[in-house]
Amino acid sequence: MSEKVILIIYGRGGHREQMRRLLEQLKIKEPALKFVSIADVKDGFGAIEHLYCPEPRDKFSRIKGPFQLAYSGLVSLIQCIKLTIKHSPSGILSTGPGMAVVPSILYRLMGKNVVYIESWSRFYSGSLTGHVMYYISNKFYVQNKSMKDIFPKAKYAGRL
């Protein structure tokens, strides 16, 4: 029997911290958890293989932003295909940011699971990535009860 591997996608700052806490909880339930990762920071979680993806957006430039988003989406797609061929992950788990969107679409088209966790910093409005991932993911979690008004089909499971 082959070992189960998941693909995790996260970004810097709060996205990374939320993934750290989530992996900590998952490793308690499944100590043999194996994962590969894509992020805009170095791996610090012990992934089997980690690929660096450029940050999906430039928060300070409206001109560079769309190009950077397209470039990041293309890079994350190529990286996702490489990791999928090499490790056959069973699904994607992401805490954001936008670099998770393109690989998640690919995985849904392949019939694989996509789980997305909206940022804990969101109380009254969803992130752009959250609004997109709400329709792509199989399971969509929010960390603040007030976000159920924005994403009615989301599951509230508390804070990481």
Side-chain angles (χ1 to χ4, degrees):
M1 185 175 148
S2 64
E3 60 184 14
K4 188 174 179 178
V5 176
I6 60 171
L7 170 57
I8 63 169
I9 302 174
Y10 59 94
R12 64 185 67 225
H15 301 290
R16 184 181 189 286
E17 178 59 20
Q18 291 167 80
M19 185 57 75
R20 185 192 68 76
R21 293 182 187 191
L22 181 60
L23 287 173
E24 210 173 83
Q25 294 298 314
L26 290 174
K27 285 178 181 177
I28 291 171
K29 283 190 168 192
E30 191 162 336
L33 177 71
K34 303 284 184 207
F35 58 92
V36 292
S37 58
I38 297 173
D40 60 0
V41 292
K42 289 182 178 180
D43 175 38
F45 304 137
I48 297 170
E49 185 173 352
H50 175 79
L51 297 176
Y52 176 83
C53 182
E55 192 169 345
R57 67 180 175 149
D58 185 337
K59 296 177 182 176
F60 306 106
S61 172
R62 289 181 182 236
I63 297 169
K64 265 178 53 181
F67 297 106
Q68 193 166 339
L69 182 63
Y71 176 69
S72 176
L74 180 63
V75 170
S76 67
L77 176 63
I78 292 167
Q79 292 175 334
C80 178
I81 291 169
K82 282 181 184 177
L83 291 173
T84 301
I85 290 170
K86 192 170 179 181
H87 301 284
S88 297
S90 60
I92 290 178
L93 175 61
S94 180
T95 54
M99 69 181 75
V101 172
V102 175
S104 295
I105 292 170
L106 176 67
Y107 266 49
R108 283 305 304 264
L109 291 173
M110 294 169 57
K112 296 189 176 207
N113 287 320
V114 174
V115 177
Y116 183 79
I117 301 167
E118 177 68 312
S119 173
W120 58 25
S121 66
R122 296 291 176 162
F123 288 88
Y124 305 109
S125 67
S127 66
L128 178 60
T129 303
H131 282 287
V132 174
M133 292 299 291
Y134 184 67
Y135 295 102
I136 297 171
S137 60
N138 300 87
K139 291 184 180 172
F140 186 92
Y141 290 92
V142 292
Q143 299 183 62
N144 296 302
K145 284 183 182 175
S146 60
M147 291 303 291
K148 291 279 292 170
D149 295 337
I150 308 294
F151 302 114
K153 294 179 186 171
K155 294 180 182 178
Y156 172 73
R159 283 225 163 153
L160 287 170

